Amino acid sequence: MELVAIFVTAILINNFVLRYFLGICPFLGVSKKIDSAISMGLAVTFVMTITAAVSWVINHWILIPLKLDYLQIVSFILVIASLVQLVEMFIRKISPPLYEALGIYLPLITTNCAIFFLALMASLRDYSFLESVIFGVGSGLGFTLAIILMAAIREQLDLADVPEALKGAGIALIVAGIMALAFLGFSGMIK
Amino acid sequence: MEVLWSVITMGALGFLFSFGLVIAYRKLRVHEDPKIEKVAEILPQANCGACGYAGCRAFAEAVVKGETTPNGCPVGDADVVKQIAETLGVSAAEVVKKVARLHCRGTHEAAKNRGVYIGISTCGAAHLIGGNKQCSYGCLHFGDCARTCPFDAIYMSEEGLPIVIEDKCTACGKCVEACPRNLFELHPVSQGIIVFCRSKDRGPVSRKVCKNACIACGICSRACPEAIVIENNLAIITDYKKIDPEKIPEVEKCPTDSIGRLKKEDEG
């Protein structure tokens, strides 16, 4: 039950993008088309899941026994950077068009604060290994959900009559704000 | 002591991850020919698609694979072609070089005028009203091809015909499109024999309007029947490869000089 609560909370209630405003960069950058938004979401989910697992292992097996907690930040960044490299190689191998579409945002996952926040949060909240992984999957799916919704809205927006001054990033930020308000509605779901 | 531990830990972690990445790189490396990148950099990056490929990068891939030749980019000038050829390790000469050839020998002297043309002096305009020459198939002498050539490889000779400078011609095909009478064709530079006429008039008619017109006498086709036929009052080479070099002198007995090898004055 605890696991389900963590999972649902990560996706809906404490959605990284819409509640904590983390990972806004790819959220706005790659949300012009649903296809690339899905891929970006899945890439982030993958990186988050593996990061959650690996950073837990490093934290609990290496850093805490050696009393090197203060190295958490550096070692988590190491984990994230390596994983992003891996994902980048993988995507480039299996789908060059997707690699082109994701562009600069793919290596930028490295500096995506959402993933770093995930690793730090899992350690702060003292999650067990399983909880960490569930937390990672949930957060990744939450990001994916948010970016896909955003892309769907923005695809419709292309056809809409948007005032000149608000075209592009302006209307996108307004949409993101309204989505964040809507997601606040989930906040009472799990106590 | 603690400093030591932290250094060792971080070093070990870093080593571990980099080792993992090295293995992953070995497995997942994209085997892309580095030449593609180099060729793409040389190209003009206009992504105009005039080469028939989807942008400069696609063209670069095709060139490296050998699907097309370095001179396939109509936008790039002679320098670009040369650089690509160097990158690929073929000298520009090894690539089957093609050049544009004019299929007409109707000089001012040879082809008779129909009247005095005082309109807009372009071939396109002159062609609209039937041209200034009695021959309705031949060169109009206004040099649309020379003006359109992006490489300055064509100039108009004093006799009135465009001369293609072989060294500068990249066979981009602009002149083929520009000529309203379709007198240009791209041929391999080593091509021996060409028909220098496009007139489909009957022999007596074409003889009257131009000294160098094909009169469909059939001397060439009898000399080399496997490669040359007479069709619509015009000698046509059906297969350039089948022409036996020994028969070229026979073919060149053409009474009007409308088939044969290039002459000195045809070359730039």
Side-chain angles (χ1 to χ4, degrees):
Chain A
M1 198 56 216
E2 190 70 8
L3 292 178
V4 175
I6 290 176
F7 188 66
V8 174
T9 309
I11 295 182
L12 292 177
I13 303 164
N14 287 340
N15 186 294
F16 272 31
V17 176
L18 299 170
R19 184 67 192 271
Y20 295 129
F21 303 110
L22 296 164
I24 297 293
C25 174
F27 176 68
L28 292 176
V30 198
S31 59
K32 289 199 185 80
K33 268 190 181 163
I34 292 186
D35 287 350
S36 41
I38 292 174
S39 312
M40 188 69 191
L42 293 181
V44 170
T45 308
F46 175 79
V47 174
M48 277 189 165
T49 312
I50 307 292
T51 301
V54 177
S55 61
W56 189 91
V57 169
I58 288 180
N59 198 25
H60 284 80
W61 289 2
I62 300 174
L63 297 182
I64 291 177
L66 292 174
K67 298 200 173 62
L68 292 171
D69 306 24
Y70 57 90
L71 284 180
Q72 266 184 356
I73 293 181
V74 192
S75 40
F76 289 170
I77 287 176
L78 199 64
V79 173
I80 296 167
S82 314
L83 281 173
V84 171
Q85 286 287 314
L86 195 69
V87 173
E88 195 179 338
M89 279 190 258
F90 189 65
I91 290 184
R92 191 167 181 196
K93 174 88 175 177
I94 57 163
S95 172
L98 178 60
Y99 182 75
E100 297 269 310
L102 293 179
I104 184 68
Y105 295 102
L106 190 57
L108 273 184
I109 301 179
T110 314
T111 51
N112 190 333
C113 44
I115 295 166
F116 185 58
F117 179 83
L118 171 105
L120 275 189
M121 208 57 173
S123 132
L124 272 180
R125 288 183 187 163
D126 236 351
Y127 280 153
S128 71
F129 181 76
L130 200 55
E131 283 171 336
S132 282
V133 173
I134 293 291
F135 183 50
V137 178
S139 303
L141 290 179
F143 179 86
T144 311
L145 176 70
I147 197 171
I148 291 175
L149 287 177
M150 185 68 173
I153 294 175
R154 281 181 84 175
E155 275 189 1
Q156 297 294 314
L157 272 179
D158 281 345
L159 307 172
D161 186 18
V162 180
E164 195 65 36
L166 290 177
K167 273 186 180 155
I171 193 76
L173 284 169
I174 291 176
V175 169
I178 295 174
M179 273 171 71
L181 280 178
F183 267 69
L184 269 184
F186 289 117
S187 61
M189 222 168 75
I190 293 177
K191 274 173 191 162
Chain B
M1 201 56 207
E2 207 177 311
V3 175
L4 197 64
W5 272 119
S6 59
V7 170
I8 291 173
T9 313
M10 285 316 292
L13 280 177
F15 185 78
L16 196 71
F17 283 120
S18 51
F19 191 71
L21 279 181
V22 167
I23 291 174
Y25 181 72
R26 290 263 165 82
K27 296 251 164 173
L28 293 172
R29 180 169 40 179
V30 179
H31 285 284
E32 190 180 56
D33 199 329
K35 282 179 192 160
I36 293 177
E37 196 65 37
K38 279 187 197 155
V39 172
E41 273 170 25
I42 298 168
L43 290 170
Q45 298 302 335
N47 288 319
C48 59
C51 52
Y53 293 92
C56 289
R57 204 185 156 77
F59 175 75
E61 280 169 23
V63 174
V64 173
K65 275 187 206 151
E67 284 170 13
T68 183
T69 52
N71 54 13
C73 174
V75 181
D77 54 14
D79 204 32
V80 168
V81 178
K82 208 175 130 209
Q83 282 184 44
I84 295 174
E86 276 169 12
T87 312
L88 296 182
V90 287
S91 68
E94 273 174 55
V95 179
V96 182
K97 182 172 163 62
K98 284 187 167 188
V99 285
R101 299 281 193 216
L102 185 75
H103 290 252
C104 178
R105 269 183 176 162
T107 56
H108 286 311
E109 193 214 332
K112 287 181 187 144
N113 280 333
R114 194 154 67 108
V116 180
Y117 176 79
I118 51 169
I120 304 166
S121 51
T122 64
C123 303
H127 178 65
L128 280 180
I129 55 155
N132 50 340
K133 295 283 170 186
Q134 288 186 7
C135 172
S136 52
Y137 300 94
C139 178
L140 295 155
H141 302 182
F142 289 109
D144 278 11
C145 47
R147 273 191 298 278
T148 202
C149 180
F151 304 99
D152 294 328
I154 301 179
Y155 68 94
M156 301 303 290
S157 72
E158 279 175 18
E159 282 96 40
L161 291 179
I163 306 287
V164 178
I165 305 168
E166 281 179 10
D167 290 343
K168 286 191 181 175
C169 179
T170 63
C172 65
K174 294 274 179 193
C175 50
V176 178
E177 282 168 32
C179 182
R181 291 189 158 172
N182 294 321
L183 294 174
F184 274 107
E185 226 175 87
L186 303 176
H187 291 286
V189 74
S190 55
Q191 190 92 282
I193 282 197
I194 288 172
V195 179
F196 292 100
C197 187
R198 283 275 164 93
S199 169
K200 286 174 186 156
D201 286 337
R202 285 185 301 114
V205 179
S206 47
R207 191 206 297 267
K208 216 160 70 183
V209 300
C210 177
K211 274 197 229 163
N212 290 340
C214 174
I215 54 172
C217 62
I219 289 180
C220 52
S221 64
R222 278 195 295 279
C224 192
E226 61 273 18
I228 305 172
V229 292
I230 304 285
E231 223 176 85
N232 292 329
N233 304 311
L234 180 63
I236 290 172
I237 300 176
T238 49
D239 191 344
Y240 287 94
K241 284 173 196 154
K242 280 192 190 160
I243 298 173
D244 187 346
E246 285 173 13
K247 288 181 182 165
I248 289 179
E250 281 295 308
V251 173
E252 281 188 321
K253 280 185 182 161
C254 177
T256 61
D257 248 358
S258 62
I259 184 169
R261 284 174 288 199
L262 283 175
K263 291 182 180 175
K264 267 276 175 277
E265 66 260 30
D266 297 321
E267 291 173 25

